[in-house]
Amino acid sequence: YAAKPKGQRFYVPLPTQVRFIRGDRGTYLSHAAYDETCYFGVGCDIRFKGYEPFFRDMEDLILSEGGRPHWGKVFYRNPTHLYPDWPKYLGIRAKLDPSGKFMNEYMNRLVLGYPF
């Protein structure tokens, strides 16, 4: 906050959630895979017009600390490289859906590595 130039500061009252959980075993796409994890969630009201620059900066900060985005939330970079078991997941996905019937635009971007 203090290091940002005055015109780039964010003054937004957003609900924030912080929680801690033990490492998860046996779930390939878990945010808590293998390590004890701190979840840090920030939400916003749909009327918050400056959400994208704020959330892009937030994503940069969280990724720089080794964080991973939540699969069901907004993120701006493909996070699959942050999940060590992603290749195992792809193998299972291909085996269970060889024709790609259950693929969609979102999954195509993740699986094919397209940018967001």
Side-chain angles (χ1 to χ4, degrees), residues 21 23-25 27-34 39 68 71 83-84:
I21 63 170
D24 193 0
R25 301 281 188 258
T27 307
Y28 293 155
L29 302 182
S30 172
H31 308 95
Y34 306 109
Y39 281 91
R68 294 182 279 215
W71 292 109
Y83 291 85

Side-chain angles (χ1 to χ4, degrees), residues 10 14 40 42 53-63:
F10 298 108
L14 299 176
F40 183 78
V42 179
F54 173 79
F55 281 110
R56 284 186 180 275
D57 280 2
M58 180 65 72
E59 183 175 281
D60 289 344
L61 177 66
I62 291 171
L63 290 175

